[in-house]
Structure formats: C-alpha cells, structure tokens
C-alpha cells in the first residue's frame, strides 16, 4: 500500500462515528453509510427512529417568499428521504409487529402509502377492484401489507387504552398531541370505511397459489435508478425477499380471524368465520413450522383466540370432544343458569382447569348485572366470590377485598355455603401439608372475624375444621372467642381481624368511577359525582374515560365553569348524550340532554342555547331514523325549529358545523324548497356556505321544468362546484430553466372543501336533488379534453358545456367524487335506472366490461319488470346499446354482439356480420340463434355455416329462419311481437349470465 493510500485510510478511519445531530440523514446519504449503520449490533438512532426522522424531514412544509406555508415540495431530497425510510423498513423485513409497536398510526400510514406508490399501485383505483393474481409479485405484496395493517389497526383501536397520567401542562406539547390524535382519528375513520374492502382483498389473497416477493434494500435501489440502469430487472421479476404462499396465507388468516372476532361483538354469526380462520392458521403453522423467518404469529394469543371461538361457536359435530369448562360457563351465563356456574367453579377448585383471571372476569360480569338493578344476583355474586376466594387460599394468594365486603353481614346460609365449598375443594387424603395449613388458617381467621358465637360454633364443629385443626388449636380459638364476649370479660378488648378492616377510599373511588362510566341515568350520574366530590376535591372526574369526547367549541366553554362538580356533571352529561346519539340510542340521549339543559339554564344562557341546538339535531336524527324512513313528513314544529336555527343570530354562541349541515339537508330532503329559495335572509346566505349551497340546489329544482334560458341558478351552482373542485397552482422555474406547474392541495377559494361537500351530499336522500348534483359532477367529469368515453346522466343538459380554465380543475378528484356519489345514491335507491346507467358507464370507461354489462342489464331489468315489459327507449338508447355491443365484443361474446345489433334503431349489419365471422367466441353461439329475429342476419349465418362446412349449425340457422312468425309477409304487429318476445328472452338469458 502506498503512503498516500495509507493516509487516506487513516483519515477515513478517524472520522467521527456519530454525525452531528442536525445533519445525520445527509451524512448517511452522502457517505452511503445507511446499510453499514443498520448492521451495527445496537445502532443509534434505532431503525424505527430513522423511519420517523426520514418521513418527518420529507413531510416538512415549506415557506415561500411571502411567508406562506406550502406543502412539502416533491424534490430530489424528499424523494431520497422517503426511499431511505422504505429501505429501513425493508431492513426490518416489513415486520408489522415491529413497525406497529414503534411507529404511530400516521407515520406507518405514510410509510405504507409510499410503499404502494413505489410498487406501482395505480392511484385512484380501489384495491378490491384489482386482480392480485395478475399483478407483479411485489405490487401484490404491497397491497397485502397495506390491507393487513388496515384491519390490524382497526382491531387494535377497539381495545381499551389506559390513559397516561398528564404531566405539567405545556401548550406546544398539548397542541402536538391533539394534532396527532385528530390525524389518527381521521385515518381510523377512513380505514373503518374501507374495512369491508380490505377484508375482501385479504380473502382474495387466500386464493393465490404463487409465492410473493417483498421489496428489499436492493430492489428499492433498483427502482430508484433510471429505467435504463435496471439491467432488465423489472418489478414483475422475482427480485426481492421471497414470501412463500403458506407463510403469506398464515399471516393473512390470523389477521382476518382477529378482524372477524372483533366484528363478532356486533354480529355473533361472524364468530364462525373467525373460528375457521384461526384453526386454518394453526394448520399452516404446523405445516411451515414455528421457526419461519417471515411468519411471526403470537401462538399464545392464537391459542386464546381458538379457545374463545370454541366457547362462542361450539362445534356442532356430535362426535367432537365434550364441551370445555369455558364453553360450559359461557353457555350457562347466556342461559342464566348461574347455579351450574357455581358447581363448575367448585369442581374447578380441584382440577385447576380455569385460570383465576377468567373466574374473576365472570364475577365482574355478574357484579355489573347486579349493579344495574338485578338484586337476585347478589346471592350469586357472593357464592361465586366465595368459590374464587377458596381457590385463592388453595394457591396461597391473599383474600380479595370483594369477599371481605360481601361477608360483612354473615348469615347461616353464607356460612353453610362457605363450608361446603371448602369441603369440596380439598382432597384431604392427597392434599399437601401447606395446602391444609392454608385452609386451616383461613377458617380460623373467619372465626376470629365473626362477632356472633353461634356462627363461630357452626364452623368450629364442622368436620373439616375438626380434621384440619389440632385439639389444642381449637381450644385456644374457643377461649379467645369467649374472652371477646362481654358476658365473660368486659375489660378485654375484642381481637381485630383483618377482615374487619373496611375497604380503602381508593377502592371505593374506583368502584364509583366504574359505575360512572357505565351509567346512562342522569340522576344516578349526578349522585355518583356528588359522592366522588365528597371523597376528594383534587380529581377532575370528566377525564375518567377517554371515550368521553365533547367538541372543542363546547369544551372551552364547559371547562370554564368554576364549580368543579357542575363542570364535571355538564361535561359528562353532554359527552354521554353525544355518544348515545352516535350509536342511535336516542331515548337515553334525550334524557341526558334534557337533564343537561335543565342544569345549564340556571347559570349560562350560552350553554342553554348550545343544548337547544344539540336537542334539535337529536330530534332530526330521531325522525330520520324512525318515521322519516317510511316517508312520513316531520311535524311542523320541528321544521319551524330548523328554520329558527338557520336564522339564529345570537352573538358568541359556539356552533357546530354539522348542525348547519343537517338542518340544510333536512330542508332539502323534505322539499322545503320554497323557504330555501325565497325566505332565507341574505345575510345568512353570505355567512353560511351550507345554506348557500342548499339555496342553489333548491332553486335549481324549482327551475328544472322551465326553459333552459331561465336556469340562471343552475349556472351559479355550476360555478360554485367548479370553484370547490379547483386547485390553486403556481409556476416554478427549475435549475434547467424550464417552467413547471405545481398543483397545490384543495383550494380554499371555494365556499367549502370538496370533502365537506361530499360529506354534505351523503346526508341527502331526496332523489331529485341527488340526480341534479350527480349530473353536475358527471358533466364536470366529461368536460376534460382527454376524456374518451362520456358518462351519461339525467338532467345533464342544464349545465354549461365548457370551463374557461380547465387546468385549474382537479379532474382526478372529480372522478373519485363521481364514483363515491354513484355508490352512495345506489345505496339510497338501488333501483334507479338512471343511476345504474351512470355506474355502468363508469365501469365501461375504466375497461371493466363484465361489470358494465351487469349494470346496463340491471338498469333495463328494474324498469321493465325483469324484461317482461319493453325497456323504455330513453333507458336503452342507441349509445347504451352500442356500449353493450362493445362490452360483448371485448369479452369475445360475438354472437351476443350480433343479437344486440338488432336492438339499434337502424340495425348495424356491418358490425353484426363482422362479429359472426369470428370463430373464437366465448358465448353459446348457435344456442342464441333462437333470439335473432332479423332474417337478413339469419340468412348470412346460413351462408357462413355452409361456406365453413358446418352442417349442424347451418340446420339450426335454417330452422330459425323457418319460424312462421318471422315471415316477411306477416303484418307489422306480428313481426314486432316476435321481435319483442325474442328481446325479452335474450335479455333475461343475459341477466342470468351476468347477475
């Protein structure tokens, strides 16, 4: 080695191992040290910290020259930072257990979305609509990772979370935590909306029979290179970390099982699916072995799930093994056979098959039922508690406080039962000396805690007591008890037993807090809070449950109440009322809101108006979920209250945006167009965007029957929606001198955001309003210059046919909105033929021809009594028929194409003949000839089969021509009837094929 080379090596080795904190990621990048850093035994920062830091740096907003905050720029630095984050995750082998444990939901969401992006998953396409079998292995694996994480996150969010003790209040930290909480909630909301799709994706994955590959650090580097530098290795190749089919299916089965198990709390039938998936997981683990590198299943948790499924869904197989004690207890609890539960617990004191945690959970469940007013369970609670206490004694544990409390007032029945449990729970012939000693000490201490000598003699004369205690011990105990009696010696102080000590204050507070969480009775809530405030004045009891959430616009006013008891009561009543309203428990919500209104009326006009507003929203929801579903109009006083809210102009009243949304939607749904059009104050139109939107929709509905020239409001509504769907953009000159256009996120120039508009539309149910807003978005979708296949819609002609500035409209967002709206409108009325045609056109435009045919046929079926009547010509227009023809052609159903050519106003012989010439047809071919009524087409078929030498098919065609009803000499009515009958049979056959 030369001296110069030696100097270079020495200089390199003398560099600091830890880079400066401010530029460590540049250091890792420029020095290519990421892989070297990750190979260290204990790298600092740790890999998961690197992911967080890389993504935080890449998502930092920028500030322009006018000090305006801009979204993170899509530059080389940020792309490299995202790539580094993906490489670190690849180093961790995409282990969701590690990533979920260390990364927050927003960070992991960002990471997996970047994985989808780099894996070439098309944006705007739902994962459930993609065929995993035809995708490249790395792309399919990225989709599986994302959807596995989605349902795992939903399941994890359903578990109770222990609140961290708040430290010293720091405004910046609190703001950051609140932002992260809101972001997490938003992500969870989206994941829950897509949960059904995620489950379908994972179910489809179980049908795959090929190995998949997940990106490694090397494949990520290849993807980041220029296309010409990849050496022919593409994302569809087998580059990457191989995940065997069995390993993938094992992970997916386990995650699906957990998702189904979580859904079982609201739909018990789903437990069967969970059972199937968990037991399939056990089979796959047995096949691949528990030492698999890429399949990490918590087998103890899996065993717990399987055991729970055995209890919840007992096997119906008569030859299966007997019910486990878990199953027996569960069945007894469901049937109310509590005496049998007690017998099972007594027997279990000898067999130890039920863990003490399970037994305690049963006792807690019984306590909850007893506290809800079932006094008959008080005796059962004591007996179950006595069984658990004897189990504790046998295993050498201390006695629970619950037993002490239940035994404060002993009687003959309680002592008889306790002695029976003790006798049946110990086998004196086989019991060890320590076990006998524990039982003897327990009985002795029970005696010392009793004041009535009659009860003491009941125990001391029992056979078990005589067997366990020696004569000297029994005599000493009796002497002690006699000395305690005032008739023997009044100067001797009675012996104080541990069991006489009352429960501590903290235990009582905990029990009261538990009741506070469960109760929905406003007067019981008030009583509990009075008791709690009497015990301690240092606690804020509105923080007891993290499920109690009050909108921030209200919480600032409520938490400003000086009296702590009143503050807790108002907050909890409102939080519980809002929760009951959310879960559609409207009766309890009304009770809670009424109690809160009565309370705040005494001291706060501001909160009184808040409660009146919330009660109005509750009454709207109650009507819409009740009599409103059958079409019954709301009472006039409710409509008057809605008008009063919209016109309310009280200063400093905190208002929730959702109430204004619901009020305007309520007026539109019940066709109060006259009020929205003519009677709304002008000031209200300027200040409330939902009222403005409602006024435009109502006016458009009124003007719809008039001439096109009078539809001024429709143009105003068009301009408002175009503004909402526009994006702000700016030009930027790059280093090479070229000018590029940078589109920003949703425009703030509109009266509301697009997501808010979509949320508002999903509150509407009036068909005419929905048709108008849907046709507007369809027209906006069709306006773009590069559109190939227009979507048709009712009322589409009322909208302008062009936009001055096409570049300003976010057409990708418009397309997504159209799909969302069609899905929503069909959930409102799945038999609206106009909406079905729109759905079919969307599938046609996205090359999903089988689905498009399904909806085209469904649209015809709903308006013709399943084709028993003629389909109206305004439903099956020439354009619709031509699209059906193209769908059949691209699906290689060429005979169907020829038949559909007859449906056109002018038969398209050219297309029909060309399709019949195709020999590679995927339909039933000659079995469809009975549906052809045009003699020219039948004659061409005869000629074609003769030319090909297909004698049998030629005879079928000749037979079809020979039918008397097709004779050209027949009257026109007969020919039309023959055509109509064949149309009906053909369309019914097609429907059976595609439905």
């Amino acid at each position: 080695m030369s001296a110069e080379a030696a100097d270079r090596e020495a200089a390199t080795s003398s560099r600091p191992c830890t880079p400066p904190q401010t530029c460590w990621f540049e250091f890792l990048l420029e020095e290519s040290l990421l892989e070297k850093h990750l190979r260290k035994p204990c790298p600092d920062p740790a890999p998961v910290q690197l992911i967080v830091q890389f993504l935080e740096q890449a998502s930092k907003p920028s500030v322009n020259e006018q000090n305006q905050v801009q979204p993170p720029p899509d530059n080389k630095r940020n792309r490299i930072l995202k790539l580094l984050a993906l490489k670190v995750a690849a180093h961790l082998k995409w282990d969701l257990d590690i990533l979920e444990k260390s990364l927050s939901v927003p960070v992991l969401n960002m990471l997996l979305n970047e994985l989808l992006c780099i894996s070439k998953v098309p944006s705007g396409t739902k994962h459930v609509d993609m065929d995993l079998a035809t995708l490249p292995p790395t792309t399919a694996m990225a989709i599986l990772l994302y959807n596995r994480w989605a349902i795992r996150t939903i399941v994890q969010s359903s578990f109770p979370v222990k609140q961290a003790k708040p430290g010293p209040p720091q405004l910046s930290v609190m703001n950051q935590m609140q932002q992260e909480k809101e972001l997490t909630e938003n992500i969870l909301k989206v994941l829950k909306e897509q949960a059904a799709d995620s489950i379908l994706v994972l179910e489809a994955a179980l049908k795959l029979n090929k190995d998949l590959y997940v990106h490694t650090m090397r494949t990520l580097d290849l993807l980041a290179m220029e296309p010409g530098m990849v050496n022919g290795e593409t994302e569809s190749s087998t580059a990457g970390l191989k995940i065997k089919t069995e390993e993938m299916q094992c992970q997916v089965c386990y995650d699906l099982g957990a998702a189904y198990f979580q859904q079982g709390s609201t739909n018990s039938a789903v437990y069967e699916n969970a059972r199937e998936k968990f037991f399939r997981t056990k089979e796959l683990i047995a096949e691949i072995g528990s030492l698999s590198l890429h399949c990490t299943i918590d087998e103890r948790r899996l065993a717990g799930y399987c055991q729970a499924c055995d209890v919840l869904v007992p096997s119906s197989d008569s030859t299966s093994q007997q019910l486990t004690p878990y199953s027996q207890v569960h069945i007894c609890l469901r049937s109310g056979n509590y005496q049998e539960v007690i017998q099972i617990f007594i027997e279990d004191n000898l067999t130890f098959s039920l863990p003490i945690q399970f037994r305690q959970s049963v006792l807690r469940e019984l306590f909850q039922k007893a506290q809800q007013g079932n006094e008959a369970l008080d005796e059962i609670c004591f007996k179950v508690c006595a069984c658990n206490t004897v189990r504790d004694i046998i295993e050498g544990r201390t006695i629970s406080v619950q037993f002490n409390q239940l035994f404060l007032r002993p009687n003959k029945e309680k002592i008889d039962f306790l002695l029976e449990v003790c006798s049946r729970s110990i086998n004196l012939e086989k019991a060890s000396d320590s076990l006998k000693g524990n039982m003897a000490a327990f009985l002795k201490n029970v005696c010392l805690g009793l004041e009535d000598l009659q009860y003491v003699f009941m125990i001391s004369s029992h056979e078990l007591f005589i067997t366990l205690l020696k004569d000297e011990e029994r005599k000493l105990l009796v002497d002690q008890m006699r000395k305690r009696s005032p008739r023997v010696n009044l100067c001797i102080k009675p012996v104080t037993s541990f069991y006489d000590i009352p429960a501590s204050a903290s235990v009582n507070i905990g029990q009261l807090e538990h009741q506070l969480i469960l109760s929905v009775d406003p007067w019981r809530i008030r009583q509990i809070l009075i008791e709690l405030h009497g015990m301690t004045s240092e606690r804020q009891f509105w923080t007891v449950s993290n499920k109690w959430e009050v909108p921030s616009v209200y919480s600032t006013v409520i938490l400003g109440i000086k009296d702590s008891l009143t503050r807790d009561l108002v907050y909890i009543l409102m939080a519980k009322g809002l929760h009951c309203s959310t879960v559609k428990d409207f009766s309890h919500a009304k009770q809670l809101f009424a109690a809160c209104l009565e309370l705040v009326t005494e001291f706060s006009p501001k909160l009184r108006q808040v409660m009146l507003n919330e009660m109005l929203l509750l009454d709207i929801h109650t009507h819409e979920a009740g009599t409103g579903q059958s079409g019954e109009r709301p009472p006039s006083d409710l409509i008057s209250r809605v008008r009063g809210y919209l016109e309310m102009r009280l200063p400093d009243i905190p208002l929730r945006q959702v109430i204004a949304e619901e009020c305007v939607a309520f007026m539109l749904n019940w066709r109060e167009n006259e009020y929205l059009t003519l009677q709304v104050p002008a000031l209200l139109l300027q200040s409330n965007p939902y009222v403005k939107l409602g006024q435009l929709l109502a006016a458009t509905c009124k003007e719809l029957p008039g001439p096109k020239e009078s539809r001024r409001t429709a143009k105003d509504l068009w301009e408002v929606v175009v503004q909402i769907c526009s994006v702000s953009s700016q030009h930027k000159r790059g280093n090479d001198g070229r000018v590029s256009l940078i589109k920003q996120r949703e425009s703030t120039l509109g009266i509301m955001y697009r997501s808010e508009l979509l949320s508002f539309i999903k509150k509407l149910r009036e068909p005419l309003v929905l048709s108008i807003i849907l046709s507007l978005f369809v027209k906006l979708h069709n306006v773009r210059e590069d559109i190939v296949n227009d979507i048709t819609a009712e009322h589409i002609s009322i909208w302008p046919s062009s936009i001055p500035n096409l570049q300003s409209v976010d057409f990708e967002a418009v397309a997504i909105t159209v799909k969302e709206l069609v899905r929503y409108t069909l959930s409102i009325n799945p038999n609206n033929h106009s909406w079905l045609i729109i759905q079919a056109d969307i599938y046609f435009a996205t090359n999903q021809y089988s689905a498009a045919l399904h909806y085209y046929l469904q649209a015809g079926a709903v308006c013709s009594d399943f084709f028993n009547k003629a389909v109206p010509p305004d439903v099956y227009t020439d354009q619709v028929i031509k699209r059906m023809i193209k769908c059949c052609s691209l699906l290689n159903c060429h005979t169907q194409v020829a038949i559909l050519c007859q449906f056109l106003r002018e038969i398209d012989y050219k297309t029909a003949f060309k399709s019949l010439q195709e020999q590679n047809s995927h339909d039933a071919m000659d079995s469809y000839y009975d549906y052809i009524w045009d003699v020219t087409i039948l004659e061409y078929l005869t000629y074609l089969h003769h030319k090909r030498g297909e004698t049998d098919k030629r005879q079928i065609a000749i037979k079809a021509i020979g039918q008397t009803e097709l004779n050209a000499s027949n009257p026109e009515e007969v020919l039309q009837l023959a055509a109509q009958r064949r149309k009906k049979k053909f369309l019914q056959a097609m429907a059976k094929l595609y439905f």
Side-chain angles (χ1 to χ4, degrees):
M1 180 186 295
S2 68
E4 183 180 353
D7 290 341
R8 279 201 306 271
E9 184 176 346
T12 303
S13 61
S14 65
R15 289 175 182 169
C17 295
T18 304
Q21 188 65 24
T22 57
C23 59
W24 53 268
F25 54 89
E26 285 95 344
F27 179 82
L28 289 176
L29 175 62
E30 292 174 4
E31 301 293 333
S32 302
L33 293 179
L34 178 62
E35 295 184 36
K36 183 178 180 182
H37 176 78
L38 293 174
R39 284 197 296 268
K40 292 180 181 179
C42 296
D44 183 21
V48 288
Q49 292 174 334
L50 286 174
I51 294 175
V52 174
Q53 296 289 355
F54 284 141
L55 293 178
E56 279 184 358
Q57 292 292 331
S59 60
K60 272 188 177 179
S62 59
V63 179
N64 62 13
E65 296 175 356
Q66 289 78 29
N67 287 329
Q68 294 176 334
V69 178
Q70 304 290 331
D74 185 18
N75 54 27
K76 181 179 179 181
R77 174 184 177 275
N78 285 348
R79 287 194 296 272
I80 291 177
L81 286 169
K82 292 174 184 177
L83 180 64
L84 289 174
L86 291 171
K87 290 176 72 174
V88 177
H91 168 75
L92 298 173
K93 295 183 172 58
W94 300 100
D95 190 330
L96 286 180
D97 289 332
I98 297 174
L99 296 174
E100 288 170 341
K101 184 178 180 181
S102 306
L103 300 180
S104 65
V105 171
V107 172
L108 194 45
N109 180 57
M110 191 187 310
L111 179 70
L112 292 176
N113 273 296
E114 288 300 327
L115 176 63
L116 293 175
C117 182
I118 204 168
S119 301
K120 305 295 190 298
V121 177
S123 61
T125 304
K126 296 177 69 173
H127 294 173
V128 73
D129 294 334
M130 303 176 74
D131 185 0
L132 296 178
T134 61
L135 294 176
T138 50
T139 305
M141 193 63 196
I143 292 174
L144 286 189
L145 272 172
Y146 178 84
N147 287 281
R148 278 186 57 216
W149 167 77
I151 64 169
R152 286 163 67 108
T153 304
I154 294 169
V155 171
Q156 189 64 33
S157 70
S158 67
F159 298 154
V161 179
K162 184 177 180 181
Q163 279 188 316
K165 293 184 178 179
Q170 297 180 13
L171 188 59
S172 60
V173 175
M174 290 174 67
N175 288 340
Q176 184 178 353
M177 290 174 63
Q178 182 64 25
Q179 288 176 2
E180 183 170 332
K181 180 183 176 185
E182 291 176 358
L183 186 57
T184 301
E185 289 174 350
N186 290 336
I187 293 171
L188 277 173
K189 181 181 178 183
V190 173
L191 294 180
K192 288 176 181 176
E193 289 174 355
Q194 299 172 350
D197 288 351
S198 293
I199 288 174
L200 288 175
V201 169
L202 296 181
E203 287 284 8
L206 295 178
K207 300 174 183 175
L208 294 177
N209 56 1
K210 65 176 184 178
D211 296 336
L212 297 180
Y213 293 81
V214 69
H215 282 301
T216 61
M217 297 179 77
R218 175 173 168 270
T219 60
L220 289 169
D221 279 333
L222 290 172
L223 286 174
M225 292 180 185
E226 293 297 327
M229 299 173 63
V230 182
N231 265 344
E233 196 162 11
T234 67
E235 68 271 17
S236 61
S237 69
T238 56
L241 184 64
K242 182 178 180 180
I243 308 295
K244 292 183 178 178
T245 309
E246 295 79 8
E247 293 176 325
M248 178 272 291
Q249 290 182 349
C250 185
Q251 288 280 16
V252 170
C253 276
Y254 179 75
D255 293 336
L256 279 172
Y260 287 137
F261 192 88
Q262 185 245 345
Q263 292 176 356
S265 59
T266 55
N267 181 7
S268 57
V270 183
Y271 281 128
E272 186 63 45
N273 295 340
R275 175 192 173 92
E276 178 189 340
K277 292 295 183 287
F278 286 133
F279 280 87
R280 177 58 181 155
T281 304
K282 290 181 70 174
E283 293 173 4
L284 288 167
I285 288 176
E287 289 180 22
I288 63 180
S290 57
L291 299 178
S292 169
L293 293 176
H294 312 306
C295 179
T296 55
I297 302 291
D298 186 343
E299 295 191 41
R300 290 183 61 186
R301 193 174 186 86
L302 174 62
Y305 272 130
C306 292
Q307 203 167 45
C309 289
D310 272 337
V311 172
L312 296 166
V313 191
S315 176
S316 58
D317 187 1
S318 58
T319 62
S320 63
Q321 60 182 0
Q322 293 182 347
L323 290 176
T324 63
Y326 289 99
S327 303
Q328 293 174 356
V329 171
H330 185 72
I331 292 169
C332 292
L333 289 174
R334 283 195 297 183
S335 61
N337 187 1
Y338 301 117
Q339 295 298 333
E340 184 63 27
V341 173
I342 294 167
Q343 295 305 316
I344 294 171
F345 275 24
I346 294 174
E347 293 171 5
D348 183 64
N349 284 347
L350 287 171
T351 60
F352 302 99
S353 57
L354 296 173
I356 191 63
Q357 293 84 359
F358 173 74
R359 296 168 61 121
Q360 289 169 349
S361 70
V362 172
L363 180 59
R364 280 196 298 272
E365 183 178 338
L366 293 171
F367 264 127
Q368 288 177 6
K369 291 181 179 178
Q371 289 169 355
Q372 291 169 1
N374 191 346
E375 296 180 358
L377 287 178
D378 290 343
E379 181 185 353
I380 301 297
C381 288
F382 168 75
K383 289 184 175 182
V384 173
C385 185
C387 293
N388 287 352
T389 300
V390 173
R391 171 72 173 269
D392 288 336
I393 296 303
I394 292 172
E395 295 186 338
R397 288 189 293 270
T398 57
I399 299 170
S400 67
V401 175
Q402 288 174 326
F403 177 77
N404 299 331
Q405 291 177 327
L406 292 172
F407 205 64
L408 281 175
R409 295 183 180 85
N411 55 36
K412 182 178 181 300
E413 290 74 19
K414 288 184 178 180
I415 292 175
D416 277 339
F417 179 76
L418 185 62
L419 289 170
E420 178 191 355
V421 175
C422 290
S423 301
R424 293 176 58 184
S425 300
I426 184 170
N427 187 338
L428 293 173
E429 296 179 358
K430 299 180 180 179
S432 64
D433 291 339
S434 62
L435 193 156
K436 292 178 181 178
N438 290 342
M439 186 67 77
F442 170 65
L443 294 174
K444 182 178 177 181
N445 284 331
V446 170
C447 290
L448 290 172
L450 295 170
E451 294 182 359
D452 193 329
L453 288 178
Q454 178 187 354
Y455 297 151
V456 175
F457 289 130
M458 280 179 65
I459 297 175
S460 62
S461 60
H462 193 272
E463 181 182 357
L464 179 64
F465 187 88
I466 295 171
T467 305
L468 292 176
L469 271 78
K470 298 177 182 178
D471 291 341
E472 295 80 7
E473 291 177 317
R474 291 201 307 275
K475 290 178 181 178
L476 181 61
L477 177 63
V478 172
D479 289 342
Q480 285 180 325
M481 299 306 299
R482 284 175 177 165
K483 289 177 183 178
R484 283 176 49 185
S485 173
R487 292 176 298 171
V488 177
N489 193 342
L490 294 175
C491 66
I492 298 178
K493 185 178 180 181
V495 178
T496 302
S497 169
F498 169 77
Y499 305 102
D500 295 323
I501 301 173
S504 66
S506 62
V507 172
N508 290 331
I509 289 174
Q511 291 173 343
L512 287 172
E513 287 179 345
H514 184 64
Q515 293 178 30
L516 185 64
I517 292 171
L518 295 177
S519 180
V520 289
D521 180 2
W523 305 114
R524 177 60 182 150
I525 292 169
R526 178 176 176 272
Q527 183 183 0
I528 293 171
L529 282 173
I530 291 172
E531 291 181 41
L532 286 170
H533 278 270
M535 292 180 179
T536 177
S537 60
E538 300 174 357
R539 296 282 300 278
Q540 294 180 333
F541 294 101
W542 61 271
T543 63
V544 165
S545 173
N546 62 349
K547 300 294 184 183
W548 293 342
E549 294 183 352
V550 169
S552 56
V553 290
Y554 296 165
S555 61
T556 52
V557 180
I558 295 172
L559 298 181
I561 299 173
K562 293 182 180 179
D563 179 69
S564 59
L565 174 59
T566 307
R567 179 173 61 242
D568 288 342
L569 185 54
V570 173
Y571 190 99
I572 293 171
L573 288 175
M574 180 176 281
K576 283 178 173 283
L578 290 171
H579 173 73
C580 287
S581 178
T582 302
V583 298
K584 300 189 185 310
D585 184 2
F586 299 122
S587 59
H588 280 123
K590 193 157 191 173
Q591 292 175 15
L592 291 160
F593 281 164
C596 192
L597 174 63
E598 183 180 350
L599 176 64
V600 299
T601 300
E602 300 174 2
F603 65 92
S604 176
K606 186 183 295 187
L607 286 175
R608 177 182 179 276
Q609 188 59 52
V610 165
M611 291 314 305
L612 289 173
N613 296 343
E614 288 298 328
M615 292 185 77
L616 170 62
L617 180 60
L618 177 63
D619 288 343
I620 291 174
H621 286 162
T622 304
H623 179 266
E624 296 295 318
T627 56
Q629 288 188 332
S630 60
E632 183 178 334
R633 280 190 64 79
S636 56
D637 69 308
L638 180 56
I639 296 176
S640 299
R641 288 166 60 199
V642 171
R643 292 182 179 184
Y645 175 83
L646 292 175
E647 296 171 10
M648 182 178 62
R649 279 296 162 268
L650 294 176
D652 300 326
I653 298 296
L655 300 174
R656 277 211 298 159
Q657 178 178 289
V658 68
I659 303 180
E661 276 188 72
E662 291 285 356
C663 285
V664 176
F666 177 86
M667 300 297 275
L668 287 169
N669 286 335
W670 295 107
R671 296 176 290 282
E672 291 292 323
N673 297 336
E674 201 71 30
Y675 170 80
L676 289 171
T677 307
L678 302 175
Q679 300 176 29
V680 174
L683 184 62
L684 186 59
L685 291 173
Q686 298 171 8
S687 60
N688 192 322
Y690 294 99
V691 176
K692 174 69 175 175
L693 185 62
Q695 189 255 356
L696 290 173
L697 283 168
T700 304
C701 289
K702 283 185 63 180
E703 294 176 1
L704 197 58
K708 188 173 182 180
E709 295 75 24
S710 66
R711 298 172 188 159
R712 172 63 190 168
T713 315
K715 185 179 180 183
D716 294 340
L717 178 59
W718 169 267
E719 291 173 355
V720 165
V721 174
V722 168
Q723 193 68 49
I724 292 171
C725 294
S726 296
V727 290
S728 56
S729 57
Q730 65 182 33
H731 293 84
K732 180 180 179 182
R733 188 176 298 277
N735 295 330
D736 56 357
R738 290 184 295 180
V739 176
S740 59
L741 184 68
I742 301 175
K743 286 190 174 182
Q744 307 299 341
R745 52 188 177 184
E746 288 189 16
S747 172
T748 56
L749 301 177
I751 61 173
M752 62 181 70
Y753 287 111
R754 184 182 61 86
S755 56
E756 293 173 335
L757 173 61
L758 188 59
S759 173
F760 171 73
I761 295 170
K762 288 185 177 181
K763 292 179 172 63
L764 301 174
R765 291 183 295 100
E766 171 59 25
L768 180 58
V769 178
L770 287 172
S771 291
I772 286 174
I773 198 71
L774 184 54
S775 67
L776 189 157
F777 274 95
V778 167
K779 183 67 175 182
L780 188 55
H781 172 272
N782 292 344
V783 163
R784 55 189 297 186
E785 295 173 342
D786 58 342
I787 200 74
V788 176
N789 297 305
D790 280 354
I791 301 173
T792 56
E794 196 177 11
H795 312 305
I796 200 168
S797 61
I798 69 174
W799 310 113
S801 56
S802 62
I803 300 175
N805 187 6
L806 277 174
Q807 290 78 14
S808 65
V809 179
D810 187 352
F811 285 106
E812 183 179 349
V814 170
I816 293 171
T817 305
V818 170
K819 293 178 183 178
E820 286 288 329
L821 289 180
V822 174
R823 190 179 298 115
Y824 170 70
T825 53
L826 287 177
S827 71
I828 297 295
N829 182 7
N831 294 326
N832 186 303
H833 64 81
S834 176
W835 299 343
L836 289 167
I837 291 289
I838 295 174
Q839 180 67 84
D841 283 349
I842 291 172
Y843 280 123
F844 181 84
T846 54
N847 303 329
Q848 299 180 69
Y849 302 112
S850 180
L853 272 174
H854 170 93
Y855 281 96
Y856 283 132
L857 290 165
Q858 191 173 341
V862 298
C863 60
S864 64
D865 191 19
F866 198 68
F867 305 112
N868 285 307
K869 301 174 185 176
V871 180
D874 61 335
V875 177
Y876 275 2
T877 62
D878 271 6
Q879 180 179 342
V880 170
I881 298 298
K882 287 177 180 177
R883 291 188 172 184
M884 292 174 71
I885 289 170
K886 184 173 181 181
C887 289
C888 292
S889 176
L890 291 168
L891 292 170
N892 285 337
C893 298
H894 301 297
T895 315
Q896 294 173 8
V897 171
I899 296 171
L900 284 170
C901 286
Q902 303 172 108
F903 283 64
L904 296 168
R905 286 184 175 84
E906 293 183 10
I907 300 176
D908 187 357
Y909 290 110
K910 180 179 178 182
T911 303
F913 293 167
K914 184 177 179 181
S915 65
L916 292 172
Q917 290 171 9
E918 296 286 344
Q919 292 184 289
N920 183 24
S921 185
H922 293 170
D923 56 22
M925 297 182 68
D926 48 9
S927 64
Y928 280 115
Y929 291 177
D930 286 339
Y931 303 134
I932 301 175
W933 63 88
D934 184 83
V935 177
T936 304
I937 295 177
L938 287 170
E939 287 174 347
Y940 180 78
L941 272 171
T942 307
Y943 159 76
L944 198 61
H945 290 313
H946 175 71
K947 183 179 177 182
R948 293 175 180 169
E950 297 168 340
T951 308
D952 293 340
K953 293 182 179 180
R954 178 173 177 271
Q955 288 301 321
I956 295 172
I958 291 173
K959 183 181 177 182
I961 295 176
Q963 297 177 80
T964 55
E965 57 188 350
L966 297 184
N967 194 316
S969 302
N970 288 336
E972 186 64 23
E973 298 80 26
V974 175
L975 293 174
Q976 287 182 0
L977 189 62
Q980 188 57 43
R981 189 164 64 86
R982 284 163 174 75
K983 281 184 180 180
K984 166 191 166 182
K985 290 186 176 180
F986 172 71
L987 290 172
Q988 286 177 342
M990 288 278 284
K992 290 177 183 177
L993 185 62
Y994 288 99
F995 281 3

